[in-house]
Amino acid sequence: SDFLSSVSHELRTPLTSIRGFASLVSREFSRSFAPLAGEDDALRKKSMRVIENLDVILKESDRLTRLINDVLDLAKIEAGRVEWRDAPISPGVLVHDAIGVVHGMFDPKPDVVLKSDIQEGLPLFVGDADRMLQVLVNLLNNAAKFTEQGTVTVKAFLDREGWIGMEVRDTGIGFPRKDTEAIFDKFQQSSRGDTLTDKPKGTGLGLSICKEIVEHYGGRIWATSELGKGSVFSLTLPAMTTEDRKPQDDDQNNTQGEHA
């Protein structure tokens, strides 16, 4: 974890330069040089090729940035260096916030409907709101990437044992049952489709980070799927109890007593 953290930090500076200069070259080329091609078809094709190649550099640098951020995130969690800002969280509010974050990913997919199903009267649970939002957003991003038609539904409910349950269900391409456990390992991705032609659509760390966060709060996360019929990613977390409230209440009472 220390090694990955150190190396990741060192990679940020050159990567920022690569992305910055590629963006600058792309903008200046499109503005000042591409128009000089005029009606010359050969030059116009070459100009388009240059712009497309620069776009690839930008997209790949973005992907590498996400990978570095995920590596840093996982390294911090495993090394116990994350500052967890625990507070009561409403499952319904969390689901609405996550949908708001990922809504743009579904705009280019008119054949996919994003829905929510939130049980009324759910109890709160204790967690870091930003980290829990990260979990749901990651699951919804995965669903969006691998679903071309149908629905993606995120649910929040109380299970039979009184735990908070959340679920992201899609009608996408699914993945083989043999990958059910492996997809939560570091740098692992399911062999969806033809592995020779289908490029991985992520860093292979997102689900591993989700697992670390959920298990930090005593929860559990798992997946079920069938090729061609979609996937379901589920998690459970302990609901907030009166015991969880006592320390905060006691602190407030002590503070009030001191002021009195």
Side-chain angles (χ1 to χ4, degrees):
S1 294
D2 289 340
F3 170 75
L4 288 176
S5 179
S6 176
V7 170
S8 298
H9 277 297
E10 292 299 323
L11 287 172
R12 282 178 177 272
T13 301
L15 181 57
T16 301
S17 296
I18 291 170
R19 195 187 188 292
F21 281 110
S23 179
L24 178 63
V25 171
S26 179
R27 184 171 63 252
E28 289 300 321
F29 182 85
S30 300
R31 179 188 304 167
S32 304
F33 293 94
L36 298 178
E39 299 300 322
D40 189 321
D41 288 339
L43 285 178
R44 289 174 63 182
K45 287 181 180 179
K46 288 181 179 179
S47 295
M48 289 302 300
R49 192 175 305 132
V50 170
I51 293 173
E52 289 171 358
N53 290 343
L54 287 167
D55 189 49
V56 170
I57 294 174
L58 288 170
K59 287 181 178 178
E60 289 302 294
S61 63
D62 282 342
R63 192 160 71 93
L64 185 54
T65 299
R66 290 195 298 272
L67 173 59
I68 290 172
N69 289 337
D70 284 348
V71 169
L72 278 172
D73 223 5
L74 195 57
K76 286 180 182 177
I77 292 173
E78 291 184 340
R81 296 175 180 170
V82 174
E83 182 180 349
W84 301 95
R85 298 178 176 86
D86 293 351
I89 299 174
S90 164
V93 171
L94 180 65
V95 168
H96 283 304
D97 288 346
I99 288 177
V101 171
V102 304
H103 199 272
M105 287 198 67
F106 290 86
D107 290 342
K109 297 191 172 189
D111 295 328
V112 181
V113 178
L114 177 60
K115 302 192 300 184
S116 63
D117 181 5
I118 304 169
Q119 181 179 330
E120 293 185 2
L122 288 175
L124 304 177
F125 68 95
V126 175
D128 183 317
D130 290 336
R131 291 292 177 180
M132 292 310 306
L133 182 63
Q134 181 181 2
V135 170
L136 274 191
V137 166
N138 190 286
L139 298 181
L140 285 167
N141 279 342
N142 280 346
K145 290 174 186 175
F146 297 105
T147 306
E148 297 302 327
Q149 60 180 4
T151 59
V152 172
T153 305
V154 54
K155 298 177 62 177
F157 56 92
L158 199 65
D159 70 10
R160 295 178 180 178
E161 298 178 358
W163 285 49
I164 301 293
M166 282 180 266
E167 179 181 284
V168 175
R169 180 183 297 267
D170 66 61
T171 56
I173 61 176
F175 58 85
R177 293 182 181 179
K178 64 181 178 64
D179 292 344
T180 299
E181 296 295 332
I183 58 174
F184 289 98
D185 294 337
K186 303 181 192 69
F187 298 105
Q188 293 295 317
Q189 292 181 325
S190 174
S191 54
R192 310 180 190 220
D194 182 356
T195 55
L196 294 178
T197 59
D198 292 351
K199 187 176 181 179
K201 298 184 178 182
T203 63
L205 283 174
L207 291 177
S208 181
I209 292 172
C210 289
K211 182 180 179 182
E212 292 283 350
I213 294 171
V214 171
E215 291 183 350
H216 173 80
Y217 289 108
R220 176 174 171 253
I221 185 169
W222 70 97
T224 56
S225 183
E226 189 172 347
L227 277 175
K229 295 186 178 181
S231 307
V232 182
F233 285 83
S234 308
L235 64 91
T236 57
L237 290 161
M240 190 172 180
T241 65
T242 53
E243 293 297 321
D244 295 321
R245 299 175 185 270
K246 280 184 178 179
Q248 183 177 2
D249 293 340
D250 290 343
D251 289 344
Q252 289 178 348
N253 290 335
N254 292 336
T255 302
Q256 291 173 356
E258 291 172 2
H259 284 305

